[in-house]
Amino acid sequence: MLLECKGAAPNDELLKDVAAHIAALNPPYTSTADVPADVIAKEKGLVMAEMANDPKSQGKPANITEKIAEGKLRTRLADVVLTEQPMANATKYPNTSVGAALKKAGLEPVKYVRFKVGAVAL
């Protein structure tokens, strides 16, 4: 696992915990800015379709429906974006996302490379 961060002096323990998090959960994107527009559009379409079929969403004003859709989209992105995911070691970092833990230490993730035994990189 290689993790590149920028910012303050590195916190070795935190970086080790983030590397373990990446190794365990394998998020495909480092930050929300890294998520391709077509993936966001697809996820938003799925959220809107879900809401169209949900009786609780029927009859709500468009601006309220849009805000609910944005919240659901953020929740979906939290599953695939490193900085939005809750830290895997919840006992050590309760109610803390990876991004919040790094930010608190004065660090910002730039990119990472996850190696997997037996995998071939192209």
Side-chain angles (χ1 to χ4, degrees), residues 5-36:
C5 290
K6 64 180 179 180
N11 177 332
D12 291 341
E13 184 177 355
L14 173 62
L15 292 176
K16 179 181 156 201
D17 292 338
V18 171
H21 174 97
I22 294 168
L25 298 176
N26 194 19
Y29 307 107
T30 305
S31 68
T32 51
D34 297 335
V35 180

Side-chain angles (χ1 to χ4, degrees), residues 9-89:
N11 177 332
D12 291 341
E13 184 177 355
L14 173 62
L15 292 176
K16 179 181 156 201
D17 292 338
V18 171
H21 174 97
I22 294 168
L25 298 176
N26 194 19
Y29 307 107
T30 305
S31 68
T32 51
D34 297 335
V35 180
D38 63 322
V39 172
I40 291 177
K42 178 183 173 190
E43 289 297 323
K44 190 169 185 174
L46 292 171
V47 166
M48 296 304 277
E50 233 176 58
M51 290 179 61
N53 295 329
D54 186 1
K56 292 189 284 183
S57 298
Q58 303 300 319
K60 291 190 179 180
N63 63 336
I64 300 296
T65 305
E66 185 66 27
K67 291 214 183 275
I68 293 170
E70 287 174 14
K72 288 180 181 262
L73 180 61
R74 273 194 307 275
T75 301
R76 282 180 179 244
L77 289 178
D79 292 340
V80 295
V81 175
L82 172 67
T83 55
E84 303 300 317
Q85 292 178 331
M87 285 291 288
N89 189 344

Side-chain angles (χ1 to χ4, degrees), residues 76-117:
R76 282 180 179 244
L77 289 178
D79 292 340
V80 295
V81 175
L82 172 67
T83 55
E84 303 300 317
Q85 292 178 331
M87 285 291 288
N89 189 344
T91 55
K92 195 172 190 180
Y93 305 96
N95 301 320
T96 305
S97 69
V98 174
L102 288 170
K103 187 174 184 176
K104 185 177 178 183
L107 298 168
E108 180 184 340
V110 176
K111 64 181 176 180
Y112 61 87
V113 177
R114 182 179 181 266
F115 295 99
K116 182 177 179 183
V117 176

